[in-house]
PDB file of all heavy atoms in Angstrom:
ATOM      1  N   GLY Q 585       3.474  -5.097   2.495  1.00 97.00           N
ATOM      2  CA  GLY Q 585       2.576  -4.050   2.214  1.00 97.00           C
ATOM      3  C   GLY Q 585       1.455  -4.428   1.200  1.00 97.00           C
ATOM      4  O   GLY Q 585       0.330  -4.050   1.435  1.00 97.00           O
ATOM      5  N   GLY Q 586       1.779  -5.161   0.184  1.00 96.00           N
ATOM      6  CA  GLY Q 586       0.792  -5.592  -0.788  1.00 96.00           C
ATOM      7  C   GLY Q 586      -0.286  -6.452  -0.134  1.00 96.00           C
ATOM      8  O   GLY Q 586      -1.469  -6.328  -0.430  1.00 96.00           O
ATOM      9  N   ASP Q 587       0.127  -7.286   0.773  1.00 98.00           N
ATOM     10  CA  ASP Q 587      -0.891  -8.167   1.442  1.00 98.00           C
ATOM     11  C   ASP Q 587      -1.774  -7.406   2.350  1.00 98.00           C
ATOM     12  O   ASP Q 587      -2.909  -7.620   2.459  1.00 98.00           O
ATOM     13  CB  ASP Q 587      -0.079  -9.276   2.304  1.00 98.00           C
ATOM     14  CG  ASP Q 587       0.668 -10.214   1.392  1.00 98.00           C
ATOM     15  OD1 ASP Q 587       0.441 -10.293   0.212  1.00 98.00           O
ATOM     16  OD2 ASP Q 587       1.594 -10.873   1.970  1.00 98.00           O
ATOM     17  N   VAL Q 588      -1.186  -6.358   2.962  1.00 98.00           N
ATOM     18  CA  VAL Q 588      -2.004  -5.506   3.905  1.00 98.00           C
ATOM     19  C   VAL Q 588      -3.013  -4.795   3.053  1.00 98.00           C
ATOM     20  O   VAL Q 588      -4.227  -4.723   3.380  1.00 98.00           O
ATOM     21  CB  VAL Q 588      -1.060  -4.533   4.587  1.00 98.00           C
ATOM     22  CG1 VAL Q 588      -1.889  -3.551   5.458  1.00 98.00           C
ATOM     23  CG2 VAL Q 588      -0.093  -5.352   5.511  1.00 98.00           C
ATOM     24  N   LEU Q 589      -2.550  -4.244   1.901  1.00 98.00           N
ATOM     25  CA  LEU Q 589      -3.491  -3.481   1.070  1.00 98.00           C
ATOM     26  C   LEU Q 589      -4.676  -4.435   0.572  1.00 98.00           C
ATOM     27  O   LEU Q 589      -5.822  -4.019   0.652  1.00 98.00           O
ATOM     28  CB  LEU Q 589      -2.727  -2.994  -0.175  1.00 98.00           C
ATOM     29  CG  LEU Q 589      -3.488  -1.932  -1.012  1.00 98.00           C
ATOM     30  CD1 LEU Q 589      -3.848  -0.779  -0.136  1.00 98.00           C
ATOM     31  CD2 LEU Q 589      -2.490  -1.463  -2.137  1.00 98.00           C
ATOM     32  N   ALA Q 590      -4.295  -5.682   0.236  1.00 98.00           N
ATOM     33  CA  ALA Q 590      -5.383  -6.571  -0.193  1.00 98.00           C
ATOM     34  C   ALA Q 590      -6.334  -6.879   0.964  1.00 98.00           C
ATOM     35  O   ALA Q 590      -7.502  -7.086   0.807  1.00 98.00           O
ATOM     36  CB  ALA Q 590      -4.719  -7.858  -0.765  1.00 98.00           C
ATOM     37  N   CYS Q 591      -5.756  -7.013   2.152  1.00 98.00           N
ATOM     38  CA  CYS Q 591      -6.574  -7.247   3.336  1.00 98.00           C
ATOM     39  C   CYS Q 591      -7.577  -6.102   3.602  1.00 98.00           C
ATOM     40  O   CYS Q 591      -8.700  -6.299   3.797  1.00 98.00           O
ATOM     41  CB  CYS Q 591      -5.585  -7.431   4.513  1.00 98.00           C
ATOM     42  SG  CYS Q 591      -6.413  -7.557   6.137  1.00 98.00           S
ATOM     43  N   TRP Q 592      -7.018  -4.833   3.477  1.00 98.00           N
ATOM     44  CA  TRP Q 592      -7.876  -3.675   3.620  1.00 98.00           C
ATOM     45  C   TRP Q 592      -8.999  -3.700   2.679  1.00 98.00           C
ATOM     46  O   TRP Q 592     -10.177  -3.460   2.898  1.00 98.00           O
ATOM     47  CB  TRP Q 592      -7.068  -2.418   3.491  1.00 98.00           C
ATOM     48  CG  TRP Q 592      -6.097  -2.129   4.614  1.00 98.00           C
ATOM     49  CD1 TRP Q 592      -6.066  -2.727   5.861  1.00 98.00           C
ATOM     50  CD2 TRP Q 592      -5.044  -1.142   4.527  1.00 98.00           C
ATOM     51  NE1 TRP Q 592      -5.057  -2.177   6.615  1.00 98.00           N
ATOM     52  CE2 TRP Q 592      -4.412  -1.188   5.844  1.00 98.00           C
ATOM     53  CE3 TRP Q 592      -4.591  -0.191   3.648  1.00 98.00           C
ATOM     54  CZ2 TRP Q 592      -3.324  -0.384   6.161  1.00 98.00           C
ATOM     55  CZ3 TRP Q 592      -3.525   0.567   4.026  1.00 98.00           C
ATOM     56  CH2 TRP Q 592      -2.860   0.573   5.202  1.00 98.00           C
ATOM     57  N   GLN Q 593      -8.563  -4.109   1.412  1.00 98.00           N
ATOM     58  CA  GLN Q 593      -9.641  -4.043   0.335  1.00 98.00           C
ATOM     59  C   GLN Q 593     -10.655  -5.063   0.606  1.00 98.00           C
ATOM     60  O   GLN Q 593     -11.869  -4.911   0.293  1.00 98.00           O
ATOM     61  CB  GLN Q 593      -8.901  -4.182  -0.987  1.00 98.00           C
ATOM     62  CG  GLN Q 593      -8.335  -2.896  -1.573  1.00 98.00           C
ATOM     63  CD  GLN Q 593      -7.251  -3.065  -2.539  1.00 98.00           C
ATOM     64  OE1 GLN Q 593      -6.863  -4.145  -2.833  1.00 98.00           O
ATOM     65  NE2 GLN Q 593      -6.780  -1.938  -3.079  1.00 98.00           N
ATOM     66  N   SER Q 594     -10.248  -6.276   1.115  1.00 98.00           N
ATOM     67  CA  SER Q 594     -11.202  -7.338   1.356  1.00 98.00           C
ATOM     68  C   SER Q 594     -12.226  -6.930   2.514  1.00 98.00           C
ATOM     69  O   SER Q 594     -13.397  -7.136   2.384  1.00 98.00           O
ATOM     70  CB  SER Q 594     -10.402  -8.598   1.770  1.00 98.00           C
ATOM     71  OG  SER Q 594     -11.316  -9.575   2.124  1.00 98.00           O
ATOM     72  N   MET Q 595     -11.711  -6.260   3.513  1.00 98.00           N
ATOM     73  CA  MET Q 595     -12.509  -5.782   4.619  1.00 98.00           C
ATOM     74  C   MET Q 595     -13.486  -4.771   4.078  1.00 98.00           C
ATOM     75  O   MET Q 595     -14.598  -4.626   4.644  1.00 98.00           O
ATOM     76  CB  MET Q 595     -11.656  -5.218   5.742  1.00 98.00           C
ATOM     77  CG  MET Q 595     -10.817  -6.265   6.492  1.00 98.00           C
ATOM     78  SD  MET Q 595     -10.035  -5.627   7.991  1.00 98.00           S
ATOM     79  CE  MET Q 595      -8.950  -4.392   7.340  1.00 98.00           C
ATOM     80  N   LEU Q 596     -13.134  -4.023   3.098  1.00 98.00           N
ATOM     81  CA  LEU Q 596     -13.982  -2.924   2.592  1.00 98.00           C
ATOM     82  C   LEU Q 596     -15.097  -3.444   1.663  1.00 98.00           C
ATOM     83  O   LEU Q 596     -15.952  -2.698   1.215  1.00 98.00           O
ATOM     84  CB  LEU Q 596     -13.160  -1.840   1.843  1.00 98.00           C
ATOM     85  CG  LEU Q 596     -12.331  -0.999   2.759  1.00 98.00           C
ATOM     86  CD1 LEU Q 596     -11.386  -0.121   1.946  1.00 98.00           C
ATOM     87  CD2 LEU Q 596     -13.152  -0.110   3.656  1.00 98.00           C
ATOM     88  N   GLN Q 597     -14.999  -4.705   1.278  1.00 98.00           N
ATOM     89  CA  GLN Q 597     -15.971  -5.273   0.444  1.00 98.00           C
ATOM     90  C   GLN Q 597     -17.357  -5.466   1.190  1.00 98.00           C
ATOM     91  O   GLN Q 597     -17.381  -6.057   2.283  1.00 98.00           O
ATOM     92  CB  GLN Q 597     -15.598  -6.719   0.004  1.00 98.00           C
ATOM     93  CG  GLN Q 597     -14.459  -6.792  -0.993  1.00 98.00           C
ATOM     94  CD  GLN Q 597     -14.976  -6.313  -2.353  1.00 98.00           C
ATOM     95  OE1 GLN Q 597     -15.998  -6.692  -2.835  1.00 98.00           O
ATOM     96  NE2 GLN Q 597     -14.172  -5.502  -2.971  1.00 98.00           N
ATOM     97  N   THR Q 598     -18.408  -4.947   0.599  1.00 97.00           N
ATOM     98  CA  THR Q 598     -19.671  -5.061   1.267  1.00 97.00           C
ATOM     99  C   THR Q 598     -20.212  -6.448   1.065  1.00 97.00           C
ATOM    100  O   THR Q 598     -19.887  -7.139   0.039  1.00 97.00           O
ATOM    101  CB  THR Q 598     -20.656  -4.089   0.718  1.00 97.00           C
ATOM    102  OG1 THR Q 598     -21.959  -4.566   0.812  1.00 97.00           O
ATOM    103  CG2 THR Q 598     -20.417  -3.668  -0.731  1.00 97.00           C
ATOM    104  N   SER Q 599     -21.017  -6.982   2.001  1.00 98.00           N
ATOM    105  CA  SER Q 599     -21.599  -8.285   1.903  1.00 98.00           C
ATOM    106  C   SER Q 599     -23.106  -8.200   1.450  1.00 98.00           C
ATOM    107  O   SER Q 599     -23.874  -9.124   1.508  1.00 98.00           O
ATOM    108  CB  SER Q 599     -21.522  -9.103   3.209  1.00 98.00           C
ATOM    109  OG  SER Q 599     -20.158  -9.313   3.524  1.00 98.00           O
ATOM    110  N   ALA Q 600     -23.563  -6.984   1.103  1.00 98.00           N
ATOM    111  CA  ALA Q 600     -24.949  -6.714   0.822  1.00 98.00           C
ATOM    112  C   ALA Q 600     -25.504  -7.673  -0.294  1.00 98.00           C
ATOM    113  O   ALA Q 600     -26.505  -8.363  -0.134  1.00 98.00           O
ATOM    114  CB  ALA Q 600     -25.149  -5.249   0.397  1.00 98.00           C
TER     115      ALA Q 600
END
Side-chain angles (χ1 to χ4, degrees):
D587 295 341
V588 175
L589 193 58
C591 169
W592 289 346
Q593 282 158 353
S594 176
M595 292 190 295
L596 289 171
Q597 287 290 315
T598 151
S599 294

